Amino acid sequence: MYIKEFADYLKYEKNCSIRTVDSYLSDLDLFDRFLKTQEQCLEIQTAGRDNIRNWVVSMMENGESSTSVNRRLSALRSFYRYLIKKGILSESPASLVQGPKNGKPLPHFVRQSQMDDILDNGQFGEGFKAVRDKAVISVFYEAGLRLAELIGLDIADLDFGQRTMRVTGKRDKQRIIPMGAELVTILEDYISLRNTTFPSAGQALFLSTSGERIPRHQVYRMVRDVLSRYSDSEKRSPHVLRHSFATSILNNGGDLGAVRDLLGHESLSTTQIYTHATFGELKNIYQQAHPRGDK
């Protein structure tokens, strides 16, 4: 079946890694097994377009992801290109076979009611760490920051008079984010306690309990712990809170272009994934609230 020769070609001419070669061979083996279940019982090099299309359909019906199906189809195309190069085939039967479109996974987010419960009723405790943790959660949810952006905030980035926050995003691009009255109060209280607890600290807004700029792993662990207590979200990370920020705005009638600017996205297409998330939320509400929604 020319499989061994193809493997040698990948190893010695294409300089592919052992892992890549094994992946290709595994995908070809799956197609070979599929062909053996067909009435004609063909070899890979004699299979036609219809056989390949049927394989794609079979994988999708069995619940394979579009990513896995397209990867296997790519391995098959590579094998046929090798056979054409060796003069064994004149054309590839996979050339006109299209794989399924890869869909972007919907972002995980915490429901607005759960975020309200966390910020209004959450038991953060007492002392510097408790006040800081609530301030961190508030900034993530009410300003939509990335983890690196939050860690990089300095006190000078906050303008309480104008109620704005200057955020430095990817490629050092800056954007101005408005702050609500409640967030301003939370941050003012935190900064007051921060300055009392660590009077000689630098300009970093959020500090560790040792008085230094808070590290990534501490923020990540803190967010995970808080969300695990109050949310049923499958994922519990700072980025989930960023997604929650965007989803809450859109669910309450916010403009997609404004959300793009607030998140610091370069393109509107990056932000559009949230329209799918909000539709999913509306669908859930409809199914739960409409008397015939679950029929």
Side-chain angles (χ1 to χ4, degrees), residues 115-127:
M115 287 306 309
D116 288 341
D117 188 42
I118 291 173
L119 295 175
D120 295 339
N121 307 312
Q123 302 299 312
F124 286 90
E126 302 291 337

Side-chain angles (χ1 to χ4, degrees), residues 214-227:
I214 192 169
R216 293 175 62 93
H217 70 274
Q218 284 189 17
V219 177
Y220 197 99
R221 184 171 62 243
M222 180 268 292
V223 171
R224 182 196 62 200
D225 292 345
V226 170
L227 292 185

Side-chain angles (χ1 to χ4, degrees), residues 19 32 47 231 251:
R19 183 176 180 179
D32 182 56
S231 169
N251 277 339

Side-chain angles (χ1 to χ4, degrees), residues 193-211:
L193 182 58
R194 168 204 181 278
N195 293 342
T196 301
T197 307
F198 301 103
S200 59
Q203 278 295 303
L205 175 60
F206 290 114
L207 304 178
S208 68
T209 53
S210 60

Side-chain angles (χ1 to χ4, degrees), residues 135 138-139 142-143 160 165 178-188:
S138 299
V139 169
E142 298 187 44
F160 291 123
M165 176 186 299
M179 294 189 293
E182 185 174 353
L183 180 58
V184 167
T185 299
I186 289 173
L187 287 173
E188 284 180 332

